[in-house]
Amino acid sequence: MTRWIIPVVIALTTAIGLGDAAHAVPPPPPNPSDAEIDAGRQEADAKAARVGELTGRLTDAEARLRDLTDDVAFKLELANKARVDLDTARTEADRARRDADAARVEAEAAGRAVEDARVRLDEFAAASYEQGSVVGSVSAYFGATSPEDLLARAQLLQAVSESSLNALDDVERSRAEQANKESAARAALDLADRKQSAADQAKRDADAAQADAVRAQQGQAAAAQGIQDEKTRVEGELDQALHAVEGLEGQRDRYDQWLSDKRREEEEAARQAALAAAAAPKPQAPRPPQPVTAPVSGSVETVVARAMSQLGVRYSWGGGNYDGPTVGIRDGGVGDAHGDYYSVGFDCSGLMMYAFAGAGVYLPHYSGYQYNAGRKVPLSQAQRGDMLFWGPGGGTHVALYLGGGMMVEAPYSGSHVRVAPIRYGGIMPYATRVL
């Protein structure tokens, strides 16, 4: 500060002597140290890493929740199937019981008919015997008064005996058939009862499985919500940390501007002093002030800060340019289903356009072209601010590397700009370094 005093005094004296209006630079603004800024960035990086970790956990939890939700739906359908099967088994069992009851009634009636026929046949035989006309005996023909009477008696006895015996055979066959029906009905009833019992057990098992699935789904939903709540909290802390870093960097920028203004003031003071000294009888040339060089903020951090400032902005296919998020365009598929064509946001390459524009680098809106926009470095040597790519020629996806295995990206329709761990499946073996 001492080296500024003499030039300022000379400049003021000269200004008074010359009658010019001098405008002094105001006092210096706060100038946070590099350590303070680095500490703020480290805290923001740590919060971003934590957000990325929670994002990964939440992705796994939501995937598990989707599986369990699908399992609940499947178990619900199995429970519905078990209910239908049980209703069918009950209907079959009721019908089998009715058939068995009817068959038993018919069998009992057939048995009674056989007994009635036997009784009638026995009565006929007894009457024939009492009259001396037992079927098939010679005595049945005694007492005939004429050949015609004898023939008639023979025909009558034959007709009665054959009719009674045939009737008895018919009744016996009927009873056998009804007995067979009753046996078949009992067998059908036994089978129906077994089916009903099995269906009843299947329903109990299905209901229990459904209840277990619902409990598991509810537990997973609670776990996912817990992770989401923690992620939301840490995202808030990340936002605060980013604002704190931006505030420190803003203070540094204002201090740099103050130094620049101060340097110009000193140069003007030196010039005025030189003019005054030249006009004096015994000039004494002042020692020129030493220039002050302001620290330069890295453009990589500008790129990172611009990308991180868009966390939470929705994904919109075709969205984003050098100035910020824009309305997306139709893709005839997933993007349209999520309404990207009427929503403001970024796609992956649009986010890179916006981030790098802050450093004066204007990338095309296509990840395949962005892949070839800078120097290729092996993935193992990637640094903060490098771009990472996926797919043939980098044409599938692009993200900005943050360091520590984390990246910021606009991932896919239905999502939003986020910090996430690097996904190595399908990643290109080289990163692109523009700055």
Side-chain angles (χ1 to χ4, degrees), residues 233-254:
R233 178 183 61 78
V234 177
E235 285 176 339
E237 295 176 356
L238 172 60
D239 188 61
Q240 293 177 358
L242 289 173
H243 278 87
V245 171
E246 290 174 357
L248 293 174
E249 291 176 340
Q251 291 179 4
R252 171 63 63 82
D253 290 341
R254 290 188 291 274

Side-chain angles (χ1 to χ4, degrees), residues 66-414:
R66 285 194 298 270
D67 291 342
L68 289 174
T69 300
D70 291 342
D71 187 52
V72 168
F74 178 67
K75 295 295 174 53
L76 282 171
E77 286 304 306
L78 288 183
N80 288 335
K81 176 182 180 297
R83 291 185 182 90
V84 171
D85 291 345
L86 179 58
D87 289 341
T88 302
R90 285 173 174 170
T91 300
E92 291 179 355
D94 290 341
R95 183 170 57 250
R97 290 187 187 93
R98 290 193 300 271
D99 292 344
D101 291 341
R104 184 173 60 254
V105 170
E106 292 179 0
E108 291 174 353
R112 288 194 297 272
V114 169
E115 292 304 318
D116 291 344
R118 286 187 182 279
V119 170
R120 289 195 299 273
L121 186 58
D122 290 343
E123 289 176 349
F124 169 75
S128 298
Y129 179 77
E130 290 175 357
Q131 295 173 3
S133 57
V134 178
V135 175
S137 67
V138 176
S139 61
Y141 299 97
F142 292 165
T145 57
S146 65
E148 292 81 4
D149 185 22
L150 179 61
L151 179 59
R153 181 173 294 191
Q155 291 174 343
L156 175 62
L157 291 175
Q158 182 179 1
V160 170
S161 61
E162 288 180 354
S163 175
S164 298
L165 291 174
N166 289 339
L168 182 59
D169 289 341
D170 291 341
V171 173
E172 286 285 3
R173 280 195 300 272
S174 176
R175 184 172 71 168
E177 291 174 359
Q178 295 304 325
N180 291 335
K181 288 182 180 180
E182 182 185 13
S183 177
R186 284 198 304 271
L189 178 59
D190 290 342
L191 177 60
D193 286 340
R194 289 196 300 273
K195 286 183 178 180
Q196 179 178 344
S197 177
D200 194 30
Q201 183 61 47
K203 179 182 177 299
R204 289 194 295 270
D205 294 342
D207 289 343
Q210 173 193 338
D212 291 343
V214 169
R215 283 193 295 271
Q217 189 262 355
Q218 291 173 342
Q220 187 65 23
Q225 186 60 51
I227 297 174
Q228 178 63 64
D229 292 343
E230 184 177 3
K231 178 173 175 286
T232 300
R233 178 183 61 78
V234 177
E235 285 176 339
E237 295 176 356
L238 172 60
D239 188 61
Q240 293 177 358
L242 289 173
H243 278 87
V245 171
E246 290 174 357
L248 293 174
E249 291 176 340
Q251 291 179 4
R252 171 63 63 82
D253 290 341
R254 290 188 291 274
Y255 183 77
D256 291 344
Q257 184 62 46
W258 179 85
L259 283 179
S260 178
D261 294 343
K262 187 67 177 176
R263 184 171 60 251
R264 285 194 298 271
E265 180 193 49
E266 291 176 352
E267 291 172 352
E268 178 62 19
R271 188 179 70 84
Q272 295 292 343
L275 291 174
K282 293 181 180 181
Q284 183 177 3
R287 187 180 66 176
Q290 298 295 319
V292 179
T293 303
V296 178
S297 177
S299 56
V300 167
E301 292 306 322
T302 300
V303 171
V304 171
R306 278 171 71 93
M308 294 292 286
S309 70
Q310 302 302 306
L311 290 176
V313 174
R314 67 161 286 151
Y315 181 98
S316 185
W317 191 81
N321 59 21
Y322 304 126
D323 299 319
T326 66
V327 174
I329 60 178
R330 289 185 178 275
D331 70 344
V334 177
D336 289 357
H338 286 87
D340 291 358
Y341 61 90
Y342 60 76
S343 300
V344 175
F346 288 101
D347 64 7
C348 61
S349 55
L351 181 63
M352 297 302 103
M353 291 176 66
Y354 174 74
F356 279 90
V361 176
Y362 298 96
L363 299 172
H365 201 156
Y366 170 52
S367 62
Y369 293 152
Q370 293 177 359
Y371 180 62
N372 296 310
R375 180 165 61 92
K376 300 291 190 303
V377 295
L379 191 61
S380 60
Q381 299 176 17
Q383 296 179 3
R384 183 178 174 90
D386 291 347
M387 287 186 288
L388 309 176
F389 293 86
W390 287 259
T396 299
H397 186 56
V398 59
L400 185 67
Y401 184 48
L402 299 176
M406 305 301 293
M407 62 184 181
V408 57
E409 63 173 348
Y412 49 80
S413 290

Side-chain angles (χ1 to χ4, degrees), residues 2-69:
T2 304
R3 68 176 183 272
W4 294 334
I5 296 176
I6 295 174
V8 170
V9 171
I10 294 174
L12 289 175
T13 303
T14 304
I16 294 172
L18 298 176
D20 294 336
H23 301 284
V25 175
N31 180 29
S33 67
D34 290 342
E36 289 176 317
I37 295 177
D38 288 342
R41 288 172 180 165
Q42 290 174 6
E43 181 180 1
D45 289 346
K47 297 296 183 184
R50 179 59 176 158
V51 169
E53 175 195 349
L54 291 170
T55 299
R57 287 178 55 195
L58 182 59
T59 299
D60 293 340
E62 288 176 342
R64 176 60 179 158
L65 179 58
R66 285 194 298 270
D67 291 342
L68 289 174
T69 300

